[in-house]
Each structure stands twice: as C-alpha cells, then as structure tokens.
Amino acid sequence: MQHATHAFTGIPSFARAPFTLPHTVEADAAVLGVPYDEGSGFRPGTRFGPRAIRESSLRYAFFGLGPGKRGYWDLDLGRRRLTQLRLVDCGDVDIVALDLEGNFQRITDAVATVTSQGATPIVLGGDHSITFPAVRGLQHGGPLSLVHIDAHLDYRDDVGGIRLGHGCAIRRIAELPFVQEIVSLGIRGLRADEDDLEAARARGNRVIPAAAIRRAGVAAALAEVPGSERIYVTLDIDALDPGVAPGTGTPDPGGLSYLEIRDLLQGIARKGRVVGFDLVEVNPWLDPTGITPLTAAQLIVELLASVFDP
Ligand code: MN
Ligand code: MN
C-alpha cells in the first residue's frame, strides 16, 4: 500500500481513496471519472477535468491508508469530520471518441453498478451532457428530485438538431419518467433564453437566479428546494464566479462565492438522501493557476461531509 507523504508522489486517486472496480465496490461513496467533452458547444477540454480534480485532491488526501489522520478538522464545527467515511475511487468510465451512444451507456451502467453495490456515485466530469446518462443510472429505486447548481439553465430542446449536448442536459433529465422536482440555482448571464425559462417553469421547475441568492441569502434559496426521498445534485463549476473558478468553458460574471455554494450543498443534504452527485465543466486547460480543479476537489470533500457526516 502506498505511503505518500507529499501530494506530488504516489498514484493520484481522489483524495488517496483506494482504487476499486465498480462491481467490487464496498463503500459509502465511489468516485467515477467521466473524461468526456464532446457535448461542449464552445471551448472543449473538460475531458481533462477528472484527472485535474484528482491531482488537486491530493491536497486533501484524507482517505488513504497512510500514516496521516483520516478526515479533516472542521473549523466551524470544532470537530474532525469524515473519519469513518468509506470512500473508493473507481477510475474512469471508458470513453471512446465519437461513440456517443456507447459512451452514454457506459456512464449509465457505471452509475447503476456502483449504486447496486450500495455506494453513492460521486461523478467527476466532463462537460454537463454527462449528467443525463448519469441520472439515468438511478432509474431503479423510486422517484428522484434534481438539484441543479449552474450559471446556465441547460434547458435547450436542441442545438442544431442535436439533443444530447451540454446545453440540453437538464431538459433531457426532465423527460425521464422517474424524475420529479427540479430546482436550478445560480442562473445568470445575458444569454438566458426566455423560451427555455418558460419551458422549465411550465414543467414546474423552480429557477433561482444568482442575483436572487445574493440578495435574499442562501437560506431563502434553500426554502425553495423541496424535500425528497432521493436527491441527485449536479454542480456545474461555472455556478461559481469566474474570479474563483476561471477554468471552465462558458464563464459568466456575477457568480456565487465558494461559501455560498458550500452552504447550499449543506442545506440540500438536509432536504433528504443524496443518492448521487456530479461536478462538471472543470477545464484545466483554461486555468494555468490550477485554482479551478482545486476548488472543485475541496467542494467535493465538503459535499461528502454534508451528506455522510452532517
Ligand atoms: Mn451546465
Ligand atoms: Mn454552466
């Protein structure tokens, strides 16, 4: 077993979690990388997201079997968190260039397999189009609600006739028969489309713009999130302000702060059982500073704490 003292040594699994194949998972949560960016409509490169997030996560190497302490000290709560979490890293879903149907099927199968082993899938994107096949992997187990944190609504019906790009992801999920409530938080920008907004609201989706969260606060936004037996959380890194997370394909100014997103995740985890999570749209090639994948890795640890050690 590896004993890696520093972040620049050893094999970079997420936060040093042990590597396991999906069908042999025995854990509370399992990390799955999806290095896919063929759904991007603007600047590609999120296929390098999972590897960059794992690399950055070695700053938070809380789950290895080395000599360090497990979990982390929470300065707010005054206690150590996640000391008991069983986390594994299943590596990446195999992505084959231009094999859209095959790629999506493998994403669905990987999420379904991890879930059938009793673990919560923690999916690293990839562009946002991967959320549709990921959610599809949770079709067994009853109704599901979706909490979507993003600068963008991603509710286009099609772009140039193509219905599976990252701008259509939430629309496709909304059509899945087992998906009930959908809440989109952090929406902003000058490219929001009134027809998409109308279609979302006509379905009953709640849309909470970034400016409303800033004005009324996170607690008021959380009051709009319904309770649910099963919640899937999808976090597009561009929900954060691009000053904090510049490494993403479609940045929009006026985004949420790190603490606002963290508090949202904490509050969402109190609304019910989070049965799946993804973090998408990290593009390390657009961020030579590395702050974007680092922020992503830290947010994933905070999400794990909110869900498994509240
Ligand atoms: Mn998105
Ligand atoms: Mn977005």
Side-chain angles (χ1 to χ4, degrees):
M1 186 50 65
Q2 54 175 328
H3 284 249
T5 302
H6 294 295
F8 53 83
T9 71
I11 297 169
S13 63
F14 185 84
R16 295 266 190 241
F19 175 76
T20 316
L21 291 169
H23 63 278
T24 61
V25 166
E26 285 181 46
D28 304 309
V31 173
L32 277 172
V34 183
Y36 177 88
D37 61 13
E38 289 169 11
S40 304
F42 187 31
R43 301 186 292 177
T46 58
R47 70 181 63 180
F48 303 105
R51 195 155 286 190
I53 294 169
R54 284 193 178 98
E55 173 87 29
S56 301
S57 78
L58 300 180
R59 295 283 290 157
Y60 316 107
F62 305 146
F63 306 106
L65 300 175
K69 293 174 179 171
R70 281 181 73 83
Y72 70 98
W73 182 260
D74 187 307
L75 283 163
D76 279 346
L77 296 182
R79 66 175 169 89
R80 185 158 278 274
R81 293 179 87 177
L82 293 176
T83 57
Q84 303 299 317
L85 178 72
R86 298 174 307 153
L87 180 71
V88 294
D89 190 329
C90 294
D92 293 336
V93 174
D94 194 29
I95 296 299
V96 180
L98 300 181
D99 181 17
L100 192 155
E101 263 184 46
N103 290 331
F104 274 27
Q105 193 58 51
R106 283 186 286 275
I107 296 166
T108 299
D109 291 346
V111 167
T113 301
V114 158
T115 303
S116 71
Q117 294 292 113
T120 301
I122 305 294
V123 179
L124 315 178
D127 73 54
H128 217 156
S129 67
I130 67 148
T131 300
F132 167 62
V135 169
R136 209 170 51 173
L138 293 165
Q139 62 187 304
H140 304 296
L144 185 85
S145 71
L146 180 79
V147 179
H148 166 223
I149 309 173
D150 198 330
H152 313 101
L153 206 54
D154 294 352
Y155 216 73
R156 295 288 299 274
D157 194 39
D158 74 277
V159 176
I162 300 301
R163 306 176 82 236
L164 295 174
H166 68 168
C168 308
I170 307 305
R171 186 82 162 238
R172 295 290 86 78
I173 292 166
E175 294 164 353
L176 291 169
F178 63 96
V179 173
Q180 298 190 325
E181 292 92 350
I182 296 179
V183 185
S184 294
L185 299 139
I187 309 303
R188 62 186 187 275
L190 305 184
R191 301 177 74 252
D193 185 272
E194 65 271 41
D195 295 337
D196 298 344
L197 272 165
E198 194 187 346
R201 288 184 170 132
R203 185 190 174 275
N205 301 1
R206 286 169 231 211
V207 179
I208 307 171
I213 298 173
R214 183 60 49 82
R215 265 198 305 272
V218 167
L222 284 167
E224 298 282 319
V225 178
S228 174
E229 293 284 308
R230 301 171 80 223
I231 302 173
Y232 187 95
V233 181
T234 179
L235 172 58
D236 184 326
I237 199 73
D238 69 30
L240 279 161
D241 190 81
V244 187
T248 195
T250 55
D252 262 298
L256 301 178
S257 72
Y258 180 86
L259 291 178
E260 284 169 333
I261 302 254
R262 185 197 70 174
D263 291 352
L264 278 173
L265 293 175
Q266 266 175 20
I268 291 158
R270 290 192 200 106
K271 296 282 181 174
R273 196 160 65 89
V274 174
V275 296
F277 171 77
D278 68 52
L279 194 156
V280 296
E281 298 288 353
V282 170
N283 185 339
W285 281 18
L286 295 172
D287 177 9
T289 73
I291 185 64
T292 311
L294 190 81
T295 302
Q298 188 170 318
L299 273 171
I300 292 166
V301 173
E302 303 237 40
L303 178 279
L304 290 169
S306 298
V307 172
F308 293 99
D309 191 5

